[in-house]
Amino acid sequence: MAPIGGVMLGTNRMTRVLEIDVTNRCAVVEPGLINLWLTRAVAARGYFFAPDPSSQMVSSIGGNVSTNAGGPHCLKYGITTNHVLGLEIVTGSGDRIRLGGKVWDRHGYDLTGVAVGAEGTFGLVTGITVRLLHAPEAVKTILGLFATIDAASEAVSAIIAAGIVPAALEMLDDVVIRAIEAGVGAGYPREAGAVLLIELDGPRAEVEMEAERSAALCRARGALDVRVARDETERALLWKGRKEAAGAIGRIAPSFLLQDAVVPRSKLPQIMREVQAISARHRVLVANVFHAGDGNLHPLICYDDRDPDELARAKAANDEMLRACIALGGSVTGEHGVGVDKAESLELQYAEVDLNFMYRLRRVFDPAGLMNPGKLLPSHPACGEAFRAPRPVLPEGAWV
Ligand SMILES: Cc1cc2nc3c(=O)[nH]c(=O)nc-3n(C[C@H](O)[C@H](O)[C@H](O)COP(=O)(O)OP(=O)(O)OC[C@H]3O[C@@H](n4cnc5c(N)ncnc54)[C@H](O)[C@@H]3O)c2cc1C
């Protein structure tokens, strides 16, 4: 999306894996490479690329870097920034710069860290050096069935409080379960009010022990049942359901607003109660699927776009949910990035002095404000150094 017009550039042909350096556990890739393709390219050698947004079948590593994407397994492994060693960027001023690099090549300012999550406002990412991890010895996936989302949220808190760090800890509510079962048929029990998908990985003995403890904690928090995936096929099916959850909602609603916000995970039970209250207050159906271990919520607010009143109620609920997350100490975005939609919301979270510092930093890379204008930073005049890119003059009929 180019909110104020301009040139759009696609990286979908820049899909090469330029180097796989197993000795140094890294790879150099072009930005258009699809996330999952990298893991496929290194799996036979026993490695994987850890950031796994649920969109990993279609999203690019350049996009993951630019939004600093998270994903189900980022609970244990960290988000994209923890796996990017170096970047090549063509900045807004036309310089082709190299930031960071392989592990021995990363002294001075950590500009790679600064540039991850810049959402294209510094320039175009044209090359990425990423960390590769060794695949774990054992993986176990458990499905905990709960009567209510409240009980499942309490189980999440209990697992984390017990010092267990699952590779992934995902929650799905009854609305999502029914949609997935009608579509993908992943084997989620339709009678459950909520399910927890818990994945443990690591050395075999540790995985066995933590799986038993996690199952016991679920039972102690009122789980109706706890099931363990019997083989790789069953495990893959459970994950297929989770990763296609948003698509499955299309079966039950013509449209949905997908909110992405985060709260401290200790506040999970509280925010889930809030979400349910907001949904009831605005009379909108909300489907919940989220990275529970990170406190990262994704309420999908269903509405019919042919009904303006329903759309207005969905937007009001969306806004209230965001504010509720911030009031509980959370953030305007959990992982999807700020983009255009949330640029103005940054002011809910940052002081003017913080935002002004970001404006100045941006100018270092992109003095004329050419790169992704209108994204990430608010244009509100309350920010002393508001950075409005000049509106480009476009030929008639130009594609924006
Ligand atoms: C069903 C679904 C599930 C999702 N699940 C997750 C999830 O679990 N975790 C998560 O974090 N996100 C998730 N997302 C959001 C999104 O898929 C991710 O943020 C992903 O990282 C975006 O990658 P992309 O290739 O689609 O980038 P795009 O959407 O094309 O771009 C994202 C931003 O980055 C900029 N950009 C892209 N490439 C470059 C480049 N080479 N140089 C400079 N700027 C660039 C774009 O201009 C844009 O501002 C999900 C989205 C969907 C639809």
Side-chain angles (χ1 to χ4, degrees):
M1 183 185 184
I4 65 163
V7 174
M8 288 183 80
L9 195 147
T11 58
N12 48 324
R13 289 193 185 171
M14 299 175 74
T15 57
R16 285 181 300 166
V17 177
L18 300 172
E19 185 187 354
I20 296 173
D21 181 352
V22 169
T23 314
N24 292 300
R25 296 193 172 197
C26 62
V28 183
V29 305
E30 290 185 332
L33 184 73
I34 298 299
N35 174 301
L36 199 56
W37 297 359
L38 178 57
T39 289
R40 285 194 186 138
V42 296
R45 301 186 209 197
Y47 287 85
F48 72 109
F49 177 55
D52 65 334
S54 303
S55 57
Q56 70 178 150
M57 294 86 87
V58 293
S59 67
S60 66
I61 297 185
N64 301 161
V65 167
S66 300
T67 55
N68 193 10
H73 289 82
C74 293
L75 172 61
K76 177 172 181 179
Y77 291 105
I79 54 179
T80 300
T81 191
N82 303 116
H83 300 273
V84 178
L85 299 171
L87 293 173
E88 182 191 80
I89 299 185
V90 177
T91 67
S93 50
D95 296 315
R96 185 173 174 179
I97 58 169
R98 193 171 64 87
L99 309 177
K102 291 188 180 176
V103 273
W104 61 87
D105 199 11
R106 307 173 62 226
H107 18 254
Y109 297 116
D110 180 13
L111 294 177
T112 313
V114 171
V116 173
E119 298 188 23
T121 59
F122 287 179
L124 187 68
V125 174
T126 49
I128 306 153
T129 305
V130 294
R131 196 188 294 284
L132 296 176
L133 297 188
H134 207 277
E137 183 191 3
V139 181
K140 199 154 228 181
T141 306
I142 300 172
L143 194 68
L145 283 58
F146 293 84
T148 63
I149 207 156
D150 212 34
S153 305
E154 296 289 353
V156 170
S157 299
I159 290 169
I160 300 289
I164 300 170
V165 184
L169 189 44
E170 301 283 301
M171 197 191 300
L172 299 87
D173 75 1
D174 55 340
V175 180
V176 177
I177 293 169
R178 283 199 299 273
I180 291 174
E181 287 312 303
V184 179
Y188 298 148
R190 287 173 196 255
E191 68 278 12
V195 294
L196 268 189
L197 193 57
I198 309 164
E199 186 152 284
L200 299 145
D201 70 9
R204 195 170 304 281
E206 185 183 304
V207 167
E208 292 296 337
M209 190 187 71
E210 294 199 330
E212 271 175 33
R213 286 183 67 206
S214 302
L217 287 164
C218 285
R219 289 196 190 94
R221 291 294 182 287
L224 306 171
D225 196 5
V226 180
R227 301 175 187 171
V228 180
R230 279 165 299 192
D231 52 32
E232 188 47 39
T233 313
E234 210 169 283
R235 178 177 164 259
L237 194 59
L238 288 176
W239 276 109
K240 187 173 161 61
R242 165 62 188 90
K243 299 232 165 179
E244 294 184 14
I249 297 298
R251 291 187 159 263
I252 56 170
S255 310
F256 61 78
L257 279 173
L258 170 58
Q259 180 55 273
D260 160 56
V262 66
V263 291
R265 59 185 162 219
S266 56
K267 303 279 196 232
L268 198 59
Q270 206 173 331
I271 190 68
M272 290 319 298
R273 281 172 218 138
E274 282 271 355
V275 167
Q276 284 168 325
I278 292 168
S279 143
R281 205 156 48 242
H282 292 282
R283 294 176 287 117
V284 282
L285 178 69
V286 175
N288 288 287
V289 50
F290 53 97
H291 311 310
D294 292 317
N296 183 190
L297 312 184
H298 291 316
L300 294 117
I301 306 163
C302 302
Y303 67 98
D304 185 338
D305 51 1
R306 292 162 296 189
D307 179 346
D309 179 56
E310 223 173 282
L311 172 61
R313 283 186 278 119
K315 281 185 175 169
N318 188 48
D319 189 55
E320 260 186 54
M321 284 175 200
L322 189 66
R323 285 173 187 274
C325 287
I326 294 169
L328 287 175
S331 170
V332 297
T333 167
E335 55 178 14
H336 292 185
V338 177
V340 176
D341 186 38
K342 293 188 169 176
E344 305 305 326
S345 310
L346 276 200
E347 284 168 316
L348 299 173
Q349 199 181 324
Y350 289 106
E352 198 175 312
V353 64
D354 302 325
L355 285 172
N356 284 339
F357 191 81
M358 292 190 223
Y359 284 116
R360 269 179 266 149
L361 181 64
R362 187 192 160 170
R363 276 195 201 127
V364 173
F365 288 85
D366 181 25
L370 299 174
M371 310 304 290
N372 265 355
K375 284 193 186 170
L376 183 60
L377 292 172
S379 59
H380 200 276
C383 291
E385 303 190 27
F387 184 71
R388 282 179 193 274
R391 193 180 170 84
V393 181
L394 298 171
E396 204 155 315
W399 182 52
V400 292

